[in-house]
Amino acid sequence: MVDDESAVVGYETPSDEDVVSEGDKITLVEVRNRFGADQEIAIVGVGVEEGQNAFEEYRVERKSGDDDGFNEVEQAEIVEGSPGPEEIDTPESGFGPGGRERIRAKIGEIDPDEEVEIVVTITVKGIEGTGVTAQLFGDTRSFAIEGEEDDTAVEPGVPEFAGNGNVFFEPEGVVVDVLALYEEPSGNSDDTRIEPSSGKPITWDTDEHEQFKNAKPDDEDEFDPRGKLLAVYFVDRGLVYYNPKHGKDDISFPEDWPEPDPGDTRGNG
């Protein structure tokens, strides 16, 4: 195999290891013409074979040797999956030596710190009458991108346990997925129950509800917030806090919960 530095058609992945966020536009693969004289080529097929779930739109852009920038061209078919080795009609126009074409994509959904492997296969063909007639299929390039860390997320302080089975958070704007550990009416903190009983966390947005008990959705029938609230498990953050009015060793925590830390108290906690 001829490496890209020596090949007459060069393939580059300039966005390899880029950190991206929703709405960013990146170059998946850039194709360069290294033929001599006036031999023109063009991208005629593109298959995004892996990582397609991170994108919501694609386009092919061309920059000829004398152009100041890239312009969109629409003669290449872009598919999610393999483009296949079928013979494709000779393109009407292309780019000569010194020019390039690139596949651009817009980032759709990508989670912070999520790594996405991208695999793209490109089919290139020469323009009729310019000395290049071959169709080159199977030039596949792979690379990775990573979701940008969410610096805007509001981190909660230590929760404050209050009376009547409640807990508060500051500052406002915190969104957490919560499982709660309550004491059963027996009064023994070894006798506990998890709420919601379905095991599906309650999403608590402190902008909407100051108190945890009020975060119960209207359609949630398996959440009973009565009784002494012993601990809360913020599932999406991997954090557990317990009411410091109860000794940690006296509380029967579920075995699959992380090691708990003490919370604070508010009022008669």
Side-chain angles (χ1 to χ4, degrees):
M1 178 179 291
V2 179
D3 62 33
D4 277 351
E5 293 298 320
S6 304
V8 291
V9 179
Y11 301 86
E12 300 176 1
T13 53
S15 298
D16 191 15
E17 299 185 356
D18 276 4
V19 176
V20 300
S21 57
E22 184 175 351
D24 287 352
K25 295 180 180 179
I26 66 170
T27 297
L28 303 185
V29 179
E30 186 169 289
V31 178
R32 294 174 177 264
N33 184 344
R34 298 196 183 114
F35 283 98
D38 58 353
Q39 296 165 323
E40 294 187 2
I41 60 174
I43 297 174
V44 293
V46 178
V48 183
E49 302 192 47
E50 291 186 23
Q52 55 266 54
N53 291 340
F55 305 116
E56 59 182 23
E57 62 183 54
Y58 309 93
R59 59 190 289 174
V60 175
E61 298 176 340
R62 175 186 301 162
K63 182 181 185 299
S64 297
D66 297 330
D67 292 345
D68 292 332
F70 285 88
N71 298 295
E72 184 176 9
V73 292
E74 298 182 352
Q75 62 191 18
E77 181 182 7
I78 304 175
V79 299
E80 292 188 335
S82 174
E86 294 86 359
E87 186 69 20
I88 301 175
D89 292 339
T90 300
E92 296 181 358
S93 63
F95 60 101
R100 66 189 79 170
E101 283 187 347
R102 65 186 184 185
I103 300 98
R104 296 277 283 173
K106 183 179 179 180
I107 301 294
E109 294 185 3
I110 186 169
D111 294 331
D113 298 324
E114 176 186 5
E115 292 189 2
V116 179
E117 294 291 330
I118 313 297
V119 177
V120 182
T121 296
I122 307 97
T123 304
V124 175
K125 193 166 186 177
I127 307 304
E128 187 174 359
T130 65
V132 182
T133 59
Q135 176 171 305
L136 307 178
F137 169 75
D139 288 284
T140 300
R141 293 297 182 271
S142 62
F143 63 100
I145 57 175
E146 180 180 342
E148 184 175 18
E149 183 178 354
D150 186 3
D151 294 330
T152 64
V154 179
E155 289 296 327
V158 175
E160 296 179 307
F161 290 84
N164 300 317
N166 220 335
V167 68
F168 296 81
F169 249 166
E170 291 182 358
E172 294 182 353
V174 174
V175 179
V176 284
D177 291 334
V178 187
L179 289 174
L181 189 68
Y182 286 89
E183 181 181 272
E184 290 286 24
S186 66
N188 184 348
S189 56
D190 277 338
D191 190 8
T192 60
R193 73 179 193 278
I194 298 174
E195 296 291 345
S197 58
S198 64
K200 179 181 178 181
I202 293 288
T203 297
W204 179 19
D205 184 343
T206 60
D207 269 343
E208 297 180 3
H209 304 290
E210 181 186 13
Q211 304 179 43
F212 170 62
K213 291 170 64 173
N214 295 337
K216 174 183 176 180
D218 294 337
D219 59 352
E220 175 59 81
D221 297 326
E222 300 182 2
F223 178 38
D224 181 6
R226 292 176 297 179
K228 291 183 179 180
L229 181 58
L230 301 176
V232 287
Y233 176 17
F234 303 131
V235 179
D236 54 326
R237 299 168 189 257
L239 298 173
V240 173
Y241 291 94
Y242 66 91
N243 189 334
K245 285 200 170 183
H246 302 272
K248 181 176 72 170
D249 294 337
D250 296 329
I251 300 174
S252 180
F253 294 95
E255 292 183 359
D256 58 345
W257 281 23
E259 180 69 20
D261 291 315
D264 290 332
T265 57
R266 174 185 291 195
N268 62 353

